[in-house]
mmCIF file of all heavy atoms in Angstrom:
data_model
loop_
_atom_site.group_PDB
_atom_site.id
_atom_site.type_symbol
_atom_site.label_atom_id
_atom_site.label_comp_id
_atom_site.label_asym_id
_atom_site.label_seq_id
_atom_site.Cartn_x
_atom_site.Cartn_y
_atom_site.Cartn_z
ATOM 1 N N GLU A 86 7.126 19.448 25.083
ATOM 2 C CA GLU A 86 6.273 20.137 24.111
ATOM 3 C C GLU A 86 4.892 19.505 23.979
ATOM 4 O O GLU A 86 3.957 20.129 23.497
ATOM 5 C CB GLU A 86 6.947 20.119 22.721
ATOM 6 C CG GLU A 86 8.155 21.030 22.630
ATOM 7 C CD GLU A 86 8.963 20.776 21.360
ATOM 8 O OE1 GLU A 86 8.660 19.820 20.624
ATOM 9 O OE2 GLU A 86 9.913 21.529 21.128
ATOM 10 N N ASP A 87 4.790 18.239 24.349
ATOM 11 C CA ASP A 87 3.560 17.505 24.055
ATOM 12 C C ASP A 87 3.336 16.423 25.109
ATOM 13 O O ASP A 87 4.088 15.461 25.194
ATOM 14 C CB ASP A 87 3.708 16.889 22.641
ATOM 15 C CG ASP A 87 2.436 16.228 22.161
ATOM 16 O OD1 ASP A 87 1.912 15.342 22.873
ATOM 17 O OD2 ASP A 87 1.972 16.580 21.068
ATOM 18 N N ARG A 88 2.309 16.598 25.898
ATOM 19 C CA ARG A 88 2.024 15.672 26.997
ATOM 20 C C ARG A 88 1.716 14.253 26.485
ATOM 21 O O ARG A 88 2.090 13.267 27.081
ATOM 22 C CB ARG A 88 0.836 16.199 27.804
ATOM 23 C CG ARG A 88 0.997 16.034 29.305
ATOM 24 C CD ARG A 88 -0.283 16.397 30.040
ATOM 25 N NE ARG A 88 -0.964 15.216 30.531
ATOM 26 C CZ ARG A 88 -1.940 14.576 29.900
ATOM 27 N NH1 ARG A 88 -2.368 15.000 28.749
ATOM 28 N NH2 ARG A 88 -2.505 13.503 30.444
ATOM 29 N N VAL A 89 0.994 14.209 25.359
ATOM 30 C CA VAL A 89 0.588 12.912 24.804
ATOM 31 C C VAL A 89 1.803 12.085 24.399
ATOM 32 O O VAL A 89 1.894 10.900 24.717
ATOM 33 C CB VAL A 89 -0.345 13.120 23.587
ATOM 34 C CG1 VAL A 89 -0.621 11.803 22.901
ATOM 35 C CG2 VAL A 89 -1.641 13.767 24.050
ATOM 36 N N ILE A 90 2.735 12.738 23.726
ATOM 37 C CA ILE A 90 3.917 11.985 23.290
ATOM 38 C C ILE A 90 4.740 11.574 24.508
ATOM 39 O O ILE A 90 5.366 10.509 24.526
ATOM 40 C CB ILE A 90 4.772 12.795 22.282
ATOM 41 C CG1 ILE A 90 5.683 11.855 21.469
ATOM 42 C CG2 ILE A 90 5.644 13.821 22.952
ATOM 43 C CD1 ILE A 90 4.984 11.132 20.386
ATOM 44 N N GLY A 91 4.693 12.374 25.549
ATOM 45 C CA GLY A 91 5.381 12.019 26.781
ATOM 46 C C GLY A 91 4.882 10.701 27.340
ATOM 47 O O GLY A 91 5.664 9.868 27.819
ATOM 48 N N MET A 92 3.588 10.501 27.245
ATOM 49 C CA MET A 92 2.991 9.254 27.711
ATOM 50 C C MET A 92 3.437 8.077 26.836
ATOM 51 O O MET A 92 3.780 7.011 27.328
ATOM 52 C CB MET A 92 1.467 9.423 27.684
ATOM 53 C CG MET A 92 0.648 8.275 28.179
ATOM 54 S SD MET A 92 0.263 7.120 26.860
ATOM 55 C CE MET A 92 -0.469 8.228 25.651
ATOM 56 N N ALA A 93 3.459 8.293 25.522
ATOM 57 C CA ALA A 93 3.901 7.232 24.608
ATOM 58 C C ALA A 93 5.378 6.904 24.829
ATOM 59 O O ALA A 93 5.769 5.734 24.793
ATOM 60 C CB ALA A 93 3.667 7.661 23.152
ATOM 61 N N ILE A 94 6.167 7.923 25.107
ATOM 62 C CA ILE A 94 7.599 7.710 25.352
ATOM 63 C C ILE A 94 7.810 6.828 26.578
ATOM 64 O O ILE A 94 8.676 5.953 26.590
ATOM 65 C CB ILE A 94 8.323 9.068 25.545
ATOM 66 C CG1 ILE A 94 8.426 9.812 24.213
ATOM 67 C CG2 ILE A 94 9.719 8.857 26.137
ATOM 68 C CD1 ILE A 94 8.925 11.246 24.333
ATOM 69 N N SER A 95 6.987 7.025 27.585
ATOM 70 C CA SER A 95 7.177 6.248 28.811
ATOM 71 C C SER A 95 6.972 4.753 28.586
ATOM 72 O O SER A 95 7.461 3.925 29.339
ATOM 73 C CB SER A 95 6.238 6.754 29.905
ATOM 74 O OG SER A 95 4.890 6.486 29.554
ATOM 75 N N GLU A 96 6.258 4.407 27.506
ATOM 76 C CA GLU A 96 6.041 2.978 27.210
ATOM 77 C C GLU A 96 7.139 2.396 26.329
ATOM 78 O O GLU A 96 7.274 1.180 26.223
ATOM 79 C CB GLU A 96 4.691 2.787 26.505
ATOM 80 C CG GLU A 96 3.491 3.247 27.308
ATOM 81 C CD GLU A 96 3.275 2.416 28.568
ATOM 82 O OE1 GLU A 96 3.865 1.328 28.687
ATOM 83 O OE2 GLU A 96 2.506 2.881 29.440
ATOM 84 N N GLY A 97 7.876 3.260 25.654
ATOM 85 C CA GLY A 97 8.925 2.761 24.757
ATOM 86 C C GLY A 97 10.188 3.571 24.894
ATOM 87 O O GLY A 97 10.813 3.945 23.903
ATOM 88 N N GLN A 98 10.588 3.796 26.137
ATOM 89 C CA GLN A 98 11.685 4.740 26.403
ATOM 90 C C GLN A 98 13.028 4.324 25.808
ATOM 91 O O GLN A 98 13.918 5.140 25.672
ATOM 92 C CB GLN A 98 11.834 4.959 27.910
ATOM 93 C CG GLN A 98 11.862 3.707 28.755
ATOM 94 C CD GLN A 98 13.172 2.946 28.706
ATOM 95 O OE1 GLN A 98 14.214 3.505 28.436
ATOM 96 N NE2 GLN A 98 13.119 1.650 28.970
ATOM 97 N N GLY A 99 13.161 3.041 25.461
ATOM 98 C CA GLY A 99 14.451 2.568 24.954
ATOM 99 C C GLY A 99 14.530 2.434 23.447
ATOM 100 O O GLY A 99 15.413 1.768 22.918
ATOM 101 N N ILE A 100 13.597 3.088 22.752
ATOM 102 C CA ILE A 100 13.615 3.032 21.290
ATOM 103 C C ILE A 100 14.817 3.807 20.749
ATOM 104 O O ILE A 100 15.162 4.873 21.260
ATOM 105 C CB ILE A 100 12.307 3.636 20.719
ATOM 106 C CG1 ILE A 100 11.162 2.633 20.864
ATOM 107 C CG2 ILE A 100 12.476 4.050 19.253
ATOM 108 C CD1 ILE A 100 9.801 3.200 20.516
ATOM 109 N N ARG A 101 15.440 3.263 19.740
ATOM 110 C CA ARG A 101 16.454 3.979 18.958
ATOM 111 C C ARG A 101 16.168 3.702 17.495
ATOM 112 O O ARG A 101 15.700 2.624 17.150
ATOM 113 C CB ARG A 101 17.873 3.501 19.298
ATOM 114 C CG ARG A 101 18.212 3.498 20.780
ATOM 115 C CD ARG A 101 19.644 3.099 21.032
ATOM 116 N NE ARG A 101 20.571 4.160 20.732
ATOM 117 C CZ ARG A 101 20.905 5.137 21.580
ATOM 118 N NH1 ARG A 101 20.412 5.160 22.784
ATOM 119 N NH2 ARG A 101 21.747 6.075 21.216
ATOM 120 N N ILE A 102 16.424 4.677 16.647
ATOM 121 C CA ILE A 102 16.235 4.484 15.210
ATOM 122 C C ILE A 102 17.508 3.876 14.642
ATOM 123 O O ILE A 102 18.561 4.517 14.634
ATOM 124 C CB ILE A 102 15.952 5.816 14.479
ATOM 125 C CG1 ILE A 102 14.850 6.601 15.183
ATOM 126 C CG2 ILE A 102 15.634 5.553 13.018
ATOM 127 C CD1 ILE A 102 13.469 6.131 14.929
ATOM 128 N N LEU A 103 17.406 2.650 14.197
ATOM 129 C CA LEU A 103 18.575 1.974 13.632
ATOM 130 C C LEU A 103 18.990 2.633 12.318
ATOM 131 O O LEU A 103 18.136 3.049 11.540
ATOM 132 C CB LEU A 103 18.246 0.500 13.374
ATOM 133 C CG LEU A 103 17.918 -0.346 14.597
ATOM 134 C CD1 LEU A 103 17.387 -1.712 14.158
ATOM 135 C CD2 LEU A 103 19.135 -0.503 15.487
ATOM 136 N N LYS A 104 20.292 2.716 12.106
ATOM 137 C CA LYS A 104 20.788 3.196 10.811
ATOM 138 C C LYS A 104 21.039 1.971 9.941
ATOM 139 O O LYS A 104 22.115 1.374 9.964
ATOM 140 C CB LYS A 104 22.062 4.011 11.002
ATOM 141 C CG LYS A 104 21.821 5.342 11.681
ATOM 142 C CD LYS A 104 23.112 6.145 11.744
ATOM 143 C CE LYS A 104 22.845 7.558 12.257
ATOM 144 N NZ LYS A 104 24.093 8.310 12.478
ATOM 145 N N GLN A 105 20.025 1.622 9.172
ATOM 146 C CA GLN A 105 20.086 0.382 8.408
ATOM 147 C C GLN A 105 20.653 0.611 7.013
ATOM 148 O O GLN A 105 20.667 1.729 6.502
ATOM 149 C CB GLN A 105 18.678 -0.222 8.324
ATOM 150 C CG GLN A 105 18.064 -0.473 9.709
ATOM 151 C CD GLN A 105 16.697 -1.120 9.630
ATOM 152 O OE1 GLN A 105 16.547 -2.206 9.112
ATOM 153 N NE2 GLN A 105 15.690 -0.435 10.155
ATOM 154 N N ASP A 106 21.068 -0.486 6.424
ATOM 155 C CA ASP A 106 21.584 -0.422 5.056
ATOM 156 C C ASP A 106 20.488 0.084 4.123
ATOM 157 O O ASP A 106 19.342 -0.371 4.183
ATOM 158 C CB ASP A 106 22.025 -1.823 4.627
ATOM 159 C CG ASP A 106 22.443 -1.835 3.172
ATOM 160 O OD1 ASP A 106 23.509 -1.291 2.866
ATOM 161 O OD2 ASP A 106 21.686 -2.373 2.335
ATOM 162 N N LEU A 107 20.849 1.029 3.266
ATOM 163 C CA LEU A 107 19.842 1.667 2.415
ATOM 164 C C LEU A 107 19.131 0.680 1.489
ATOM 165 O O LEU A 107 17.904 0.667 1.424
ATOM 166 C CB LEU A 107 20.487 2.787 1.588
ATOM 167 C CG LEU A 107 19.552 3.475 0.592
ATOM 168 C CD1 LEU A 107 18.350 4.086 1.301
ATOM 169 C CD2 LEU A 107 20.313 4.530 -0.205
ATOM 170 N N TRP A 108 19.883 -0.127 0.810
ATOM 171 C CA TRP A 108 19.259 -1.057 -0.137
ATOM 172 C C TRP A 108 18.329 -2.051 0.584
ATOM 173 O O TRP A 108 17.219 -2.321 0.149
ATOM 174 C CB TRP A 108 20.331 -1.805 -0.938
ATOM 175 C CG TRP A 108 19.749 -2.874 -1.787
ATOM 176 C CD1 TRP A 108 19.939 -4.227 -1.664
ATOM 177 C CD2 TRP A 108 18.826 -2.708 -2.877
ATOM 178 N NE1 TRP A 108 19.203 -4.904 -2.602
ATOM 179 C CE2 TRP A 108 18.519 -3.993 -3.357
ATOM 180 C CE3 TRP A 108 18.232 -1.597 -3.472
ATOM 181 C CZ2 TRP A 108 17.629 -4.199 -4.416
ATOM 182 C CZ3 TRP A 108 17.352 -1.804 -4.530
ATOM 183 C CH2 TRP A 108 17.072 -3.088 -4.992
ATOM 184 N N GLU A 109 18.804 -2.578 1.697
ATOM 185 C CA GLU A 109 17.966 -3.499 2.475
ATOM 186 C C GLU A 109 16.682 -2.812 2.945
ATOM 187 O O GLU A 109 15.596 -3.403 2.932
ATOM 188 C CB GLU A 109 18.744 -4.035 3.687
ATOM 189 C CG GLU A 109 17.895 -4.939 4.582
ATOM 190 C CD GLU A 109 18.693 -5.635 5.672
ATOM 191 O OE1 GLU A 109 19.939 -5.695 5.554
ATOM 192 O OE2 GLU A 109 18.079 -6.136 6.630
ATOM 193 N N THR A 110 16.807 -1.553 3.324
ATOM 194 C CA THR A 110 15.638 -0.806 3.782
ATOM 195 C C THR A 110 14.642 -0.586 2.643
ATOM 196 O O THR A 110 13.430 -0.732 2.830
ATOM 197 C CB THR A 110 16.069 0.556 4.370
ATOM 198 O OG1 THR A 110 17.055 0.330 5.381
ATOM 199 C CG2 THR A 110 14.886 1.284 4.971
ATOM 200 N N ILE A 111 15.157 -0.255 1.480
ATOM 201 C CA ILE A 111 14.284 -0.047 0.325
ATOM 202 C C ILE A 111 13.472 -1.302 0.040
ATOM 203 O O ILE A 111 12.244 -1.268 -0.054
ATOM 204 C CB ILE A 111 15.112 0.344 -0.921
ATOM 205 C CG1 ILE A 111 15.693 1.754 -0.758
ATOM 206 C CG2 ILE A 111 14.271 0.258 -2.187
ATOM 207 C CD1 ILE A 111 16.707 2.144 -1.827
ATOM 208 N N VAL A 112 14.152 -2.425 -0.084
ATOM 209 C CA VAL A 112 13.471 -3.674 -0.425
ATOM 210 C C VAL A 112 12.531 -4.117 0.701
ATOM 211 O O VAL A 112 11.394 -4.519 0.455
ATOM 212 C CB VAL A 112 14.500 -4.786 -0.722
ATOM 213 C CG1 VAL A 112 13.800 -6.113 -0.989
ATOM 214 C CG2 VAL A 112 15.371 -4.402 -1.901
ATOM 215 N N SER A 113 12.998 -4.008 1.922
ATOM 216 C CA SER A 113 12.190 -4.461 3.053
ATOM 217 C C SER A 113 10.867 -3.713 3.134
ATOM 218 O O SER A 113 9.816 -4.307 3.390
ATOM 219 C CB SER A 113 12.961 -4.272 4.365
ATOM 220 O OG SER A 113 14.114 -5.098 4.386
ATOM 221 N N PHE A 114 10.926 -2.404 2.893
ATOM 222 C CA PHE A 114 9.687 -1.638 3.036
ATOM 223 C C PHE A 114 8.810 -1.684 1.793
ATOM 224 O O PHE A 114 7.606 -1.448 1.885
ATOM 225 C CB PHE A 114 9.980 -0.229 3.547
ATOM 226 C CG PHE A 114 10.223 -0.243 5.033
ATOM 227 C CD1 PHE A 114 11.500 -0.394 5.545
ATOM 228 C CD2 PHE A 114 9.155 -0.218 5.924
ATOM 229 C CE1 PHE A 114 11.724 -0.489 6.924
ATOM 230 C CE2 PHE A 114 9.358 -0.311 7.292
ATOM 231 C CZ PHE A 114 10.644 -0.439 7.796
ATOM 232 N N ILE A 115 9.387 -2.034 0.649
ATOM 233 C CA ILE A 115 8.527 -2.336 -0.496
ATOM 234 C C ILE A 115 7.722 -3.602 -0.165
ATOM 235 O O ILE A 115 6.520 -3.672 -0.415
ATOM 236 C CB ILE A 115 9.362 -2.539 -1.779
ATOM 237 C CG1 ILE A 115 9.889 -1.190 -2.269
ATOM 238 C CG2 ILE A 115 8.533 -3.209 -2.870
ATOM 239 C CD1 ILE A 115 10.847 -1.288 -3.451
ATOM 240 N N ILE A 116 8.383 -4.552 0.445
ATOM 241 C CA ILE A 116 7.708 -5.792 0.830
ATOM 242 C C ILE A 116 6.663 -5.540 1.913
ATOM 243 O O ILE A 116 5.647 -6.235 1.995
ATOM 244 C CB ILE A 116 8.739 -6.840 1.317
ATOM 245 C CG1 ILE A 116 9.632 -7.274 0.154
ATOM 246 C CG2 ILE A 116 8.054 -8.046 1.948
ATOM 247 C CD1 ILE A 116 10.793 -8.179 0.558
ATOM 248 N N SER A 117 6.894 -4.518 2.728
ATOM 249 C CA SER A 117 6.003 -4.277 3.870
ATOM 250 C C SER A 117 4.624 -3.766 3.463
ATOM 251 O O SER A 117 3.678 -3.840 4.248
ATOM 252 C CB SER A 117 6.645 -3.277 4.824
ATOM 253 O OG SER A 117 6.472 -1.947 4.356
ATOM 254 N N ALA A 118 4.513 -3.247 2.226
ATOM 255 C CA ALA A 118 3.262 -2.603 1.824
ATOM 256 C C ALA A 118 2.076 -3.554 1.849
ATOM 257 O O ALA A 118 2.117 -4.630 1.248
ATOM 258 C CB ALA A 118 3.420 -2.013 0.418
#
Side-chain angles (χ1 to χ4, degrees):
Chain A
E86 289 168 353
D87 186 305
R88 221 188 106 265
V89 173
I90 200 78
M92 182 271 306
I94 288 171
S95 67
E96 300 294 345
Q98 48 76 25
I100 283 172
R101 308 183 76 85
I102 311 282
L103 296 170
K104 290 184 173 173
Q105 303 182 61
D106 175 72
L107 176 59
W108 173 246
E109 177 172 343
T110 306
I111 290 171
V112 176
S113 295
F114 281 91
I115 287 174
I116 293 173
S117 80

